[in-house]
Amino acid sequence: MTEFVIPAPEPAAIPVKGSDKFFPVRRIYCIGRNYVAHVEEMGGSADRDPPLFFQKPSDAVVTSGSTIPYPGVTKDFHHEVELVIAIGKGGKNIPEDEALDHVWGYAVGLDMTRRDIQGGGLPWEIAKSFDHSFPVGPLTPVTETGLIEKGRICLTVNGETRQESDVSLLIWKMPEIISRLSEYFELFPGDIILTGTPHGVGPVVKGDKLVATFDGLEPLEVTIG
Ligand code: MN
């Protein structure tokens, strides 16, 4: 048993649907620019560039029902609704045709973004990887959902639909994301992957109530405080 010189931080964790148990979060990986209509709204081309990966810190996790503080150093705090994959089995250089064997479950989440400081050729760290930047709903095991290849993903703000699409429109499909990511990083149980946002991203302000949904998964509700 390791003894620590200060109290050890609590591990980040995501609730599991229908269970008192939690899924422990090791790392949070994200893919950018993964729906054509979103790439276009951001001013990019719809060419299939190599996948763009970045990370959030594991303690960026916020569970459903929470209020998240409007972050400092931004005047353009954006929502990005995304389908989230939880990895239950690790590996590196995972072949595409084996990639889905590594999926433990799914959730719907938000890649919250300081849009006004994203880009300009600079690293995305402070735009993407800040405190409370990953609200996520409860995970549902793949044994219950089956493998997800399509389905409606939606985000409302104060009851008004802001983002609505279908995950069948992903540019890089989930087996490709897992396979490519595992070439750069060895994956381990507890890793989380955000699969990219559809079009319709936009700003939120204090007091806004966000509800993210995906057919067959538990919803995510957060308020901006
Ligand atoms: Mn995103």
Coordinates of all heavy atoms in Angstrom, one line a residue, residues 36-119:
V36 N -18.6 17.0 -40.9 CA -18.4 17.9 -42.0 C -19.0 19.3 -41.8 O -18.4 20.3 -41.9 CB -18.9 17.3 -43.4 CG1 -18.9 18.4 -44.5 CG2 -18.0 16.2 -43.8
A37 N -20.3 19.3 -41.3 CA -21.0 20.5 -41.1 C -20.4 21.4 -40.0 O -20.5 22.6 -40.0 CB -22.5 20.3 -40.8
H38 N -19.8 20.8 -39.0 CA -19.1 21.5 -38.0 C -17.7 22.0 -38.5 O -17.4 23.2 -38.2 CB -18.8 20.7 -36.7 CG -18.0 21.3 -35.7 ND1 -18.3 22.5 -35.1 CD2 -16.7 21.0 -35.2 CE1 -17.3 22.8 -34.2 NE2 -16.4 22.0 -34.3
V39 N -17.0 21.2 -39.3 CA -15.7 21.7 -39.8 C -16.0 23.0 -40.7 O -15.3 24.0 -40.6 CB -15.1 20.6 -40.7 CG1 -13.8 21.2 -41.4 CG2 -14.7 19.4 -39.9
E40 N -17.1 22.9 -41.4 CA -17.4 24.0 -42.3 C -17.8 25.3 -41.5 O -17.5 26.4 -41.9 CB -18.5 23.6 -43.3 CG -18.0 22.6 -44.3 CD -19.0 22.1 -45.3 OE1 -20.2 22.3 -45.0 OE2 -18.6 21.5 -46.3
E41 N -18.6 25.1 -40.4 CA -19.0 26.3 -39.6 C -17.8 26.9 -38.9 O -17.8 28.1 -38.6 CB -20.1 25.9 -38.6 CG -19.6 25.2 -37.4 CD -20.7 24.9 -36.4 OE1 -21.8 25.5 -36.5 OE2 -20.5 24.1 -35.4
M42 N -16.7 26.1 -38.7 CA -15.5 26.7 -38.1 C -14.6 27.2 -39.2 O -13.4 27.7 -38.8 CB -14.8 25.6 -37.3 CG -15.6 25.0 -36.2 SD -16.0 26.3 -34.9 CE -14.3 26.5 -34.2
G43 N -15.0 27.2 -40.4 CA -14.2 27.8 -41.5 C -13.1 26.9 -42.1 O -12.3 27.3 -42.9
G44 N -13.2 25.6 -41.8 CA -12.3 24.6 -42.4 C -12.8 24.0 -43.6 O -13.9 24.3 -44.0
S45 N -12.0 23.2 -44.3 CA -12.4 22.4 -45.4 C -12.8 21.1 -45.0 O -12.4 20.6 -43.9 CB -11.3 22.3 -46.5 OG -10.4 21.3 -46.1
A46 N -13.7 20.4 -45.8 CA -14.3 19.1 -45.5 C -13.4 18.0 -45.9 O -13.8 16.8 -45.8 CB -15.6 19.0 -46.1
D47 N -12.1 18.3 -46.3 CA -11.2 17.3 -46.6 C -10.9 16.4 -45.4 O -11.0 16.8 -44.3 CB -9.8 17.8 -47.1 CG -10.0 18.7 -48.3 OD1 -11.0 18.4 -49.1 OD2 -9.1 19.5 -48.6
R48 N -10.6 15.1 -45.7 CA -10.4 14.2 -44.5 C -9.0 14.3 -44.1 O -8.1 13.5 -44.4 CB -10.8 12.8 -45.0 CG -11.1 11.9 -43.8 CD -11.5 10.5 -44.4 NE -12.2 9.7 -43.4 CZ -11.7 8.5 -43.0 NH1 -10.5 8.0 -43.5 NH2 -12.3 7.8 -42.1
D49 N -8.7 15.3 -43.3 CA -7.3 15.5 -42.7 C -7.1 14.4 -41.7 O -8.0 13.8 -41.2 CB -7.2 16.9 -42.0 CG -7.3 18.0 -43.0 OD1 -6.9 17.8 -44.2 OD2 -7.8 19.1 -42.7
P50 N -5.8 14.2 -41.4 CA -5.5 13.2 -40.3 C -6.3 13.6 -39.0 O -6.5 14.8 -38.8 CB -4.0 13.3 -40.1 CG -3.5 13.9 -41.4 CD -4.6 14.7 -41.9
P51 N -6.7 12.6 -38.2 CA -7.5 13.0 -37.0 C -6.7 13.9 -36.1 O -5.5 13.7 -35.9 CB -7.8 11.6 -36.4 CG -6.9 10.7 -37.0 CD -6.5 11.2 -38.3
L52 N -7.4 14.9 -35.5 CA -6.8 15.8 -34.6 C -7.2 15.4 -33.2 O -8.3 15.5 -32.8 CB -7.4 17.2 -35.0 CG -6.9 18.5 -34.3 CD1 -7.4 19.7 -35.1 CD2 -7.3 18.6 -32.8
F53 N -6.2 15.0 -32.4 CA -6.4 14.6 -31.0 C -5.9 15.6 -30.0 O -4.9 16.2 -30.2 CB -5.8 13.2 -30.8 CG -6.3 12.1 -31.6 CD1 -5.5 11.4 -32.5 CD2 -7.6 11.7 -31.4 CE1 -6.1 10.3 -33.2 CE2 -8.2 10.6 -32.1 CZ -7.4 9.9 -33.0
F54 N -6.6 15.7 -28.9 CA -6.2 16.5 -27.8 C -6.7 15.8 -26.5 O -7.5 14.8 -26.6 CB -6.6 17.9 -27.9 CG -8.0 18.2 -27.9 CD1 -8.8 18.5 -26.8 CD2 -8.7 18.1 -29.1 CE1 -10.1 18.8 -26.8 CE2 -10.1 18.4 -29.2 CZ -10.8 18.7 -28.0
Q55 N -6.3 16.3 -25.3 CA -6.7 15.7 -24.1 C -7.3 16.7 -23.2 O -7.0 17.9 -23.3 CB -5.5 15.0 -23.3 CG -5.0 13.8 -24.0 CD -4.0 13.1 -23.1 OE1 -4.2 12.9 -21.9 NE2 -2.9 12.7 -23.7
K56 N -8.2 16.3 -22.3 CA -8.6 17.0 -21.1 C -8.1 16.3 -19.9 O -7.9 15.1 -19.9 CB -10.1 17.1 -21.0 CG -10.8 18.0 -22.1 CD -12.3 17.9 -22.0 CE -13.0 18.7 -23.1 NZ -13.0 20.1 -22.9
P57 N -7.8 17.1 -18.8 CA -7.4 16.4 -17.5 C -8.6 15.6 -17.0 O -9.7 16.0 -17.1 CB -7.1 17.6 -16.6 CG -7.8 18.7 -17.1 CD -8.0 18.5 -18.6
S58 N -8.3 14.5 -16.3 CA -9.3 13.6 -15.9 C -10.2 14.3 -14.9 O -11.4 14.0 -14.8 CB -8.8 12.3 -15.3 OG -7.9 12.6 -14.2
D59 N -9.7 15.2 -14.1 CA -10.6 15.9 -13.1 C -11.4 17.0 -13.7 O -12.0 17.8 -13.0 CB -9.8 16.4 -11.9 CG -8.8 17.5 -12.2 OD1 -8.6 17.8 -13.4 OD2 -8.1 18.0 -11.3
A60 N -11.4 17.1 -15.0 CA -12.4 18.0 -15.7 C -13.8 17.4 -15.7 O -14.8 18.1 -16.1 CB -11.9 18.3 -17.2
V61 N -13.9 16.2 -15.3 CA -15.3 15.5 -15.3 C -16.2 16.2 -14.4 O -15.9 16.6 -13.2 CB -15.1 14.0 -14.8 CG1 -16.5 13.4 -14.5 CG2 -14.4 13.2 -15.9
V62 N -17.4 16.5 -14.9 CA -18.6 17.0 -14.1 C -19.8 16.1 -14.4 O -20.1 15.8 -15.5 CB -18.9 18.5 -14.6 CG1 -20.1 19.0 -13.9 CG2 -17.7 19.4 -14.4
T63 N -20.4 15.7 -13.3 CA -21.5 14.8 -13.5 C -22.9 15.5 -13.7 O -23.0 16.7 -13.3 CB -21.6 13.8 -12.3 OG1 -21.7 14.6 -11.1 CG2 -20.4 12.9 -12.2
S64 N -23.8 14.8 -14.2 CA -25.1 15.4 -14.5 C -25.8 15.9 -13.3 O -25.7 15.3 -12.2 CB -26.0 14.3 -15.2 OG -27.2 14.9 -15.6
G65 N -26.5 17.0 -13.4 CA -27.2 17.7 -12.3 C -26.4 18.8 -11.7 O -26.8 19.5 -10.8
S66 N -25.1 18.9 -12.1 CA -24.2 19.9 -11.5 C -24.4 21.3 -12.1 O -24.9 21.4 -13.2 CB -22.7 19.5 -11.7 OG -22.5 18.2 -11.2
T67 N -23.9 22.3 -11.4 CA -23.7 23.6 -11.9 C -22.3 23.8 -12.2 O -21.4 23.5 -11.3 CB -24.3 24.7 -10.9 OG1 -25.7 24.5 -10.8 CG2 -24.0 26.1 -11.4
I68 N -21.9 24.3 -13.4 CA -20.5 24.5 -13.7 C -20.3 26.0 -13.8 O -21.1 26.8 -14.4 CB -20.0 23.8 -15.0 CG1 -20.8 24.3 -16.2 CG2 -20.2 22.3 -14.9 CD1 -20.2 23.7 -17.5
P69 N -19.2 26.5 -13.2 CA -18.9 27.9 -13.2 C -18.5 28.4 -14.6 O -17.8 27.7 -15.3 CB -17.7 28.1 -12.2 CG -17.1 26.7 -12.2 CD -18.1 25.7 -12.5
Y70 N -19.0 29.6 -14.9 CA -18.5 30.2 -16.2 C -17.0 30.5 -15.9 O -16.6 31.2 -15.0 CB -19.3 31.6 -16.4 CG -19.1 32.1 -17.8 CD1 -20.1 31.9 -18.8 CD2 -18.0 32.8 -18.2 CE1 -19.9 32.3 -20.1 CE2 -17.8 33.3 -19.5 CZ -18.8 33.0 -20.4 OH -18.6 33.5 -21.7
P71 N -16.2 30.0 -16.8 CA -14.7 30.1 -16.6 C -14.2 31.5 -16.8 O -14.8 32.3 -17.5 CB -14.1 29.2 -17.6 CG -15.1 29.1 -18.7 CD -16.5 29.3 -18.1
G72 N -13.1 31.8 -16.1 CA -12.4 33.1 -16.3 C -11.7 33.1 -17.7 O -11.6 32.1 -18.4
V73 N -11.3 34.3 -18.1 CA -10.4 34.5 -19.3 C -11.1 34.1 -20.5 O -10.5 33.5 -21.4 CB -9.0 33.9 -19.1 CG1 -8.0 34.6 -20.0 CG2 -8.5 33.9 -17.7
T74 N -12.4 34.2 -20.6 CA -13.1 34.0 -21.9 C -14.4 34.9 -21.9 O -15.0 35.2 -20.8 CB -13.5 32.6 -22.1 OG1 -14.2 32.4 -23.4 CG2 -14.5 32.0 -21.1
K75 N -14.8 35.3 -23.1 CA -16.0 36.0 -23.3 C -16.9 35.2 -24.3 O -17.9 35.7 -24.8 CB -15.8 37.4 -23.8 CG -15.2 38.3 -22.7 CD -15.1 39.8 -23.2 CE -14.7 40.7 -22.1 NZ -13.4 40.4 -21.5
D76 N -16.4 34.0 -24.6 CA -17.1 33.2 -25.6 C -17.0 31.7 -25.3 O -16.3 31.0 -25.9 CB -16.5 33.5 -27.0 CG -17.4 33.1 -28.2 OD1 -18.6 33.0 -27.9 OD2 -16.9 32.9 -29.3
F77 N -17.8 31.3 -24.2 CA -17.8 30.0 -23.7 C -18.8 29.1 -24.4 O -20.0 29.4 -24.4 CB -18.1 30.1 -22.2 CG -18.0 28.8 -21.4 CD1 -17.1 27.9 -21.6 CD2 -19.0 28.6 -20.4 CE1 -17.0 26.7 -20.8 CE2 -18.9 27.4 -19.6 CZ -17.9 26.5 -19.8
H78 N -18.3 28.1 -25.2 CA -19.1 27.4 -26.1 C -19.4 25.9 -25.6 O -18.6 25.3 -25.0 CB -18.4 27.2 -27.4 CG -18.7 28.4 -28.4 ND1 -18.7 28.2 -29.7 CD2 -18.9 29.7 -28.1 CE1 -18.9 29.4 -30.3 NE2 -19.1 30.3 -29.4
H79 N -20.6 25.5 -26.1 CA -21.0 24.1 -25.9 C -20.6 23.3 -27.1 O -20.7 23.8 -28.3 CB -22.5 24.0 -25.7 CG -23.4 24.6 -26.7 ND1 -23.5 24.1 -28.0 CD2 -24.1 25.8 -26.7 CE1 -24.3 24.8 -28.7 NE2 -24.6 25.9 -28.0
E80 N -20.2 22.0 -26.9 CA -20.0 21.1 -28.0 C -20.5 19.7 -27.5 O -19.9 19.1 -26.7 CB -18.5 20.9 -28.4 CG -17.9 22.1 -29.0 CD -16.5 21.8 -29.6 OE1 -16.0 20.7 -29.5 OE2 -15.9 22.8 -30.1
V81 N -21.7 19.3 -28.0 CA -22.2 18.0 -27.6 C -21.6 16.9 -28.3 O -21.3 17.0 -29.5 CB -23.8 18.0 -27.7 CG1 -24.2 18.0 -29.2 CG2 -24.4 16.8 -27.0
E82 N -21.2 15.8 -27.6 CA -20.5 14.7 -28.3 C -20.9 13.3 -27.7 O -21.2 13.2 -26.5 CB -19.0 14.9 -28.1 CG -18.5 16.3 -28.4 CD -17.1 16.6 -28.7 OE1 -16.3 15.5 -28.7 OE2 -16.7 17.7 -29.0
L83 N -20.8 12.3 -28.5 CA -21.0 10.9 -28.0 C -19.6 10.5 -27.4 O -18.6 10.8 -28.0 CB -21.3 10.0 -29.2 CG -21.5 8.5 -28.8 CD1 -22.7 8.4 -27.8 CD2 -21.7 7.6 -30.0
V84 N -19.7 9.9 -26.2 CA -18.5 9.6 -25.4 C -18.4 8.1 -25.4 O -19.4 7.4 -25.1 CB -18.7 10.2 -24.0 CG1 -17.6 9.7 -23.1 CG2 -18.8 11.7 -24.1
I85 N -17.2 7.6 -25.6 CA -16.8 6.2 -25.5 C -16.0 5.9 -24.2 O -15.1 6.7 -24.0 CB -16.0 5.7 -26.7 CG1 -16.7 6.0 -28.0 CG2 -15.7 4.2 -26.6 CD1 -15.8 5.7 -29.2
A86 N -16.3 4.9 -23.5 CA -15.5 4.5 -22.3 C -14.8 3.2 -22.7 O -15.4 2.3 -23.2 CB -16.4 4.2 -21.1
I87 N -13.5 3.2 -22.5 CA -12.6 2.1 -22.9 C -12.5 1.1 -21.7 O -12.1 1.5 -20.6 CB -11.2 2.5 -23.3 CG1 -11.3 3.4 -24.6 CG2 -10.3 1.4 -23.6 CD1 -11.8 2.7 -25.9
G88 N -12.8 -0.2 -22.0 CA -12.7 -1.2 -20.9 C -11.6 -2.1 -21.0 O -11.3 -2.8 -20.1
K89 N -10.9 -2.1 -22.2 CA -9.8 -3.0 -22.4 C -8.7 -2.3 -23.1 O -9.0 -1.6 -24.2 CB -10.3 -4.2 -23.3 CG -9.3 -5.3 -23.5 CD -9.9 -6.5 -24.3 CE -9.5 -6.5 -25.7 NZ -10.0 -7.6 -26.5
G90 N -7.5 -2.3 -22.6 CA -6.4 -1.5 -23.2 C -5.8 -2.1 -24.4 O -6.2 -3.2 -24.9
G91 N -4.8 -1.4 -25.0 CA -4.1 -1.9 -26.1 C -3.4 -0.8 -26.9 O -3.7 0.3 -26.7
K92 N -2.4 -1.2 -27.7 CA -1.8 -0.3 -28.6 C -1.7 -0.8 -30.0 O -1.7 -2.1 -30.2 CB -0.4 0.2 -28.1 CG 0.6 -1.0 -27.9 CD 1.9 -0.4 -27.4 CE 2.9 -1.5 -27.0 NZ 4.1 -1.0 -26.5
N93 N -1.7 0.1 -31.0 CA -1.8 -0.4 -32.4 C -3.0 -1.3 -32.6 O -2.8 -2.4 -33.2 CB -0.5 -1.0 -32.9 CG 0.7 0.0 -32.8 OD1 0.5 1.2 -33.1 ND2 1.8 -0.4 -32.2
I94 N -4.1 -0.9 -32.1 CA -5.3 -1.8 -32.2 C -5.8 -1.8 -33.6 O -6.1 -0.7 -34.2 CB -6.4 -1.3 -31.2 CG1 -5.9 -1.3 -29.8 CG2 -7.7 -2.1 -31.4 CD1 -6.8 -0.6 -28.8
P95 N -6.0 -3.0 -34.3 CA -6.6 -3.0 -35.6 C -8.0 -2.5 -35.6 O -8.7 -2.7 -34.6 CB -6.5 -4.4 -36.0 CG -5.6 -5.1 -35.0 CD -5.7 -4.3 -33.8
E96 N -8.4 -1.9 -36.7 CA -9.8 -1.4 -36.8 C -10.8 -2.5 -36.5 O -11.9 -2.2 -35.9 CB -10.1 -0.7 -38.1 CG -9.6 0.7 -38.2 CD -9.8 1.3 -39.6 OE1 -10.8 0.9 -40.3 OE2 -9.0 2.1 -40.0
D97 N -10.6 -3.6 -37.1 CA -11.6 -4.7 -36.9 C -11.7 -5.3 -35.6 O -12.5 -6.1 -35.3 CB -11.4 -5.8 -38.0 CG -10.1 -6.5 -37.9 OD1 -9.3 -6.2 -37.0 OD2 -9.8 -7.4 -38.7
E98 N -10.8 -4.9 -34.7 CA -10.8 -5.4 -33.3 C -11.2 -4.2 -32.3 O -11.3 -4.4 -31.1 CB -9.5 -6.0 -32.8 CG -9.1 -7.2 -33.6 CD -7.7 -7.7 -33.2 OE1 -7.1 -7.2 -32.2 OE2 -7.2 -8.5 -34.0
A99 N -11.3 -3.0 -32.8 CA -11.3 -1.8 -32.0 C -12.6 -1.8 -31.1 O -12.5 -1.4 -29.9 CB -11.3 -0.5 -32.9
L100 N -13.7 -2.2 -31.6 CA -14.9 -2.1 -30.8 C -14.9 -3.2 -29.7 O -15.8 -3.0 -28.8 CB -16.1 -2.3 -31.8 CG -16.2 -1.1 -32.8 CD1 -17.4 -1.4 -33.7 CD2 -16.3 0.2 -32.1
D101 N -14.0 -4.1 -29.7 CA -13.9 -5.1 -28.6 C -13.4 -4.3 -27.3 O -13.5 -4.9 -26.2 CB -12.9 -6.2 -28.9 CG -13.3 -7.0 -30.0 OD1 -14.5 -7.0 -30.4 OD2 -12.4 -7.7 -30.6
H102 N -12.9 -3.1 -27.5 CA -12.3 -2.4 -26.4 C -13.3 -1.4 -25.7 O -13.0 -0.8 -24.7 CB -11.0 -1.6 -26.9 CG -9.9 -2.5 -27.3 ND1 -8.8 -2.7 -26.6 CD2 -9.8 -3.3 -28.5 CE1 -8.0 -3.6 -27.3 NE2 -8.6 -3.9 -28.4
V103 N -14.5 -1.3 -26.3 CA -15.5 -0.4 -25.8 C -16.2 -1.0 -24.6 O -16.7 -2.2 -24.6 CB -16.5 -0.1 -26.9 CG1 -17.7 0.8 -26.3 CG2 -15.9 0.6 -28.0
W104 N -16.3 -0.3 -23.5 CA -17.0 -0.7 -22.3 C -18.4 -0.2 -22.3 O -19.4 -0.8 -21.8 CB -16.3 -0.3 -21.0 CG -16.9 -0.9 -19.8 CD1 -16.6 -2.1 -19.2 CD2 -18.0 -0.3 -19.0 NE1 -17.5 -2.3 -18.1 CE2 -18.3 -1.3 -18.0 CE3 -18.7 0.9 -19.1 CZ2 -19.4 -1.0 -17.1 CZ3 -19.8 1.1 -18.2 CH2 -20.1 0.1 -17.2
G105 N -18.6 1.1 -22.7 CA -19.9 1.7 -22.7 C -19.9 3.1 -23.4 O -18.8 3.5 -23.9
Y106 N -21.0 3.7 -23.3 CA -21.2 5.0 -24.0 C -22.0 6.0 -23.0 O -22.7 5.6 -22.1 CB -22.1 4.8 -25.2 CG -21.6 3.9 -26.2 CD1 -22.0 2.6 -26.2 CD2 -20.7 4.3 -27.2 CE1 -21.6 1.7 -27.2 CE2 -20.2 3.4 -28.2 CZ -20.7 2.1 -28.2 OH -20.2 1.2 -29.2
A107 N -21.7 7.3 -23.3 CA -22.5 8.3 -22.6 C -22.6 9.5 -23.6 O -21.9 9.5 -24.6 CB -21.8 8.8 -21.3
V108 N -23.4 10.5 -23.2 CA -23.4 11.8 -23.9 C -22.7 12.8 -23.0 O -22.9 12.8 -21.8 CB -24.8 12.2 -24.3 CG1 -25.7 12.5 -23.1 CG2 -24.8 13.3 -25.3
G109 N -21.8 13.6 -23.7 CA -21.1 14.6 -22.9 C -20.9 15.9 -23.6 O -21.4 16.1 -24.8
L110 N -20.2 16.8 -23.0 CA -20.0 18.2 -23.6 C -18.5 18.5 -23.5 O -17.8 18.3 -22.5 CB -20.7 19.2 -22.8 CG -22.2 19.3 -22.9 CD1 -22.9 20.1 -21.8 CD2 -22.6 19.8 -24.3
D111 N -17.9 18.9 -24.6 CA -16.5 19.4 -24.7 C -16.6 20.9 -24.6 O -16.7 21.6 -25.7 CB -15.9 18.9 -26.1 CG -14.6 19.6 -26.4 OD1 -14.0 20.2 -25.5 OD2 -14.2 19.5 -27.6
M112 N -16.7 21.4 -23.4 CA -16.8 22.9 -23.2 C -15.5 23.6 -23.6 O -14.4 23.1 -23.4 CB -17.2 23.2 -21.8 CG -18.5 22.6 -21.3 SD -20.0 23.0 -22.3 CE -20.1 24.8 -22.0
T113 N -15.7 24.7 -24.3 CA -14.6 25.3 -25.0 C -14.5 26.8 -24.8 O -15.6 27.5 -25.0 CB -14.7 25.0 -26.5 OG1 -14.7 23.6 -26.7 CG2 -13.6 25.6 -27.3
R114 N -13.3 27.4 -24.5 CA -13.2 28.8 -24.6 C -12.8 29.2 -26.0 O -11.7 29.2 -26.5 CB -12.0 29.2 -23.7 CG -12.2 29.2 -22.2 CD -10.8 29.4 -21.5 NE -10.9 29.8 -20.1 CZ -10.1 29.2 -19.2 NH1 -9.2 28.3 -19.5 NH2 -10.3 29.6 -17.9
R115 N -13.9 29.5 -26.8 CA -13.8 29.6 -28.2 C -12.9 30.8 -28.6 O -12.1 30.7 -29.6 CB -15.1 29.7 -28.9 CG -15.1 29.7 -30.4 CD -14.9 28.2 -30.9 NE -16.0 27.4 -30.7 CZ -16.0 26.0 -30.6 NH1 -14.8 25.4 -30.7 NH2 -17.0 25.3 -30.3
D116 N -12.9 31.8 -27.8 CA -12.2 33.0 -28.2 C -10.7 32.9 -28.1 O -9.9 33.7 -28.5 CB -12.7 34.3 -27.5 CG -12.9 34.1 -26.0 OD1 -12.8 32.9 -25.5 OD2 -13.2 35.0 -25.3
I117 N -10.2 31.8 -27.4 CA -8.8 31.6 -27.3 C -8.3 30.3 -27.9 O -7.2 29.9 -27.7 CB -8.3 31.8 -25.8 CG1 -9.0 30.9 -24.9 CG2 -8.3 33.2 -25.4 CD1 -8.4 30.9 -23.5
Q118 N -9.2 29.7 -28.7 CA -8.9 28.5 -29.4 C -8.3 28.9 -30.8 O -8.8 29.9 -31.4 CB -10.1 27.6 -29.7 CG -9.8 26.3 -30.4 CD -11.1 25.6 -30.8 OE1 -12.2 26.2 -30.7 NE2 -10.9 24.4 -31.2
G119 N -7.2 28.3 -31.2 CA -6.8 28.5 -32.6 C -5.6 29.5 -32.6 O -4.8 29.6 -31.6

